[in-house]
Amino acid sequence: MKALLLKDFYMMKKYCRSYLLVMIIFAGLSVFDPTWWMSSLSLLCLMAAMMPVTLLGYDERSHWNEYCAALPYGKRDVVSSKYVLCLINQLAVTAVFAVLWLISGGNDIGEFFMTASVGFCCSCFSSAVVFPFVLWLGVEKGRVLYYVFIVIGFGASGLLKSFSVSESLDIKAFHDIMTVVLPALSVLVYIVSWVISVVIYGKKEIR
């Protein structure tokens, strides 16, 4: 799987430079304006999760799947590499924001973890739902579905943020949901999605 991940990293370096530019812009906005933290982190986590879908599109156009079928990798390895890549991208974005948060003088660690949890989990949910459809229907149809989930993810994160400042909501309970329950649920959904994707891709005829 290491070789498959390395191949994807090389492809990201060549084809996903525009993503990096957008990430730098939003990271800068977050440093100078703390009100951008939630929106920026959520957006960049979603973009990081979209990269594997973009790479699947390049794989299809270059007929990589046919070539890969001749290599000593099983279909399970191919699917697993995309899921692992998605997690690596999301963790990298979160780590970068953690550094920027410290540089900007952030002192509320609870708020940061809550914000990071919302962005990370929205990304996991959208990826977990879209990946099986991409492998089943193809990248182009799956990409449209991904954009739909981006909109839903932003709506959900904004709604959760508004709840967090509501006087009628127990802040401690909300914090526990964001930092414990939501990540655990995301992991469960992600694992189930991986199993479904392995089954779908395993039945797919490569030609």
Side-chain angles (χ1 to χ4, degrees):
M1 186 187 299
K2 291 181 180 179
L4 293 174
L5 288 172
L6 186 60
K7 185 271 297 182
D8 285 337
F9 283 130
Y10 284 141
M11 290 184 65
M12 281 195 301
K13 181 180 178 181
K14 182 175 182 180
Y15 297 112
C16 300
R17 294 176 182 175
S18 59
Y19 288 83
L20 180 60
L21 177 60
V22 173
M23 288 182 178
I24 292 174
I25 293 174
F26 276 88
L29 288 173
S30 301
V31 172
F32 293 107
D33 187 354
T35 60
W36 276 83
W37 273 107
M38 172 68 86
S39 298
S40 296
L41 184 58
S42 299
L43 173 64
L44 298 189
C45 281
L46 288 169
M47 288 181 63
M50 189 171 70
M51 285 186 186
V53 177
T54 301
L55 295 180
L56 280 171
Y58 286 114
D59 287 346
E60 281 190 0
R61 285 197 289 272
S62 63
H63 301 285
W64 160 256
N65 293 334
E66 290 87 337
Y67 176 76
C68 187
L71 299 176
Y73 297 109
K75 292 182 177 180
R76 180 173 178 172
D77 295 325
V78 175
V79 173
S80 298
S81 67
K82 299 303 182 185
Y83 276 79
V84 172
L85 178 65
C86 186
L87 288 177
I88 291 175
N89 287 345
Q90 294 170 33
L91 290 173
V93 167
T94 304
V96 169
F97 263 81
V99 173
L100 294 174
W101 179 78
L102 292 173
I103 293 175
S104 62
N107 53 16
D108 189 345
I109 191 68
E111 181 182 356
F112 173 77
F113 275 115
M114 185 180 71
T115 303
S117 294
V118 171
F120 188 88
C121 293
C122 283
S123 181
C124 282
F125 275 122
S126 60
S127 299
V129 172
V130 170
F131 264 132
F133 284 98
V134 168
L135 295 174
W136 178 36
L137 300 174
V139 174
E140 294 307 319
K141 294 180 180 179
R143 196 193 304 273
V144 173
L145 186 62
Y146 195 92
Y147 292 144
V148 171
F149 275 93
I150 286 179
V151 175
I152 293 175
F154 269 113
S157 63
L159 186 62
L160 289 172
K161 184 178 180 181
S162 66
F163 283 163
S164 69
V165 297
S166 173
E167 295 181 358
S168 63
L169 188 67
D170 186 339
I171 299 300
K172 184 178 184 302
F174 180 81
H175 181 271
D176 291 341
I177 291 174
M178 291 298 100
T179 57
V180 179
V181 178
L182 191 58
L185 183 60
S186 298
V187 170
L188 177 61
V189 172
Y190 206 73
I191 292 174
V192 171
S193 172
W194 171 76
V195 172
I196 295 174
S197 294
V198 168
V199 173
I200 291 175
Y201 195 71
K203 294 181 179 179
K204 192 172 184 179
E205 183 178 354
I206 306 298
R207 55 182 179 178

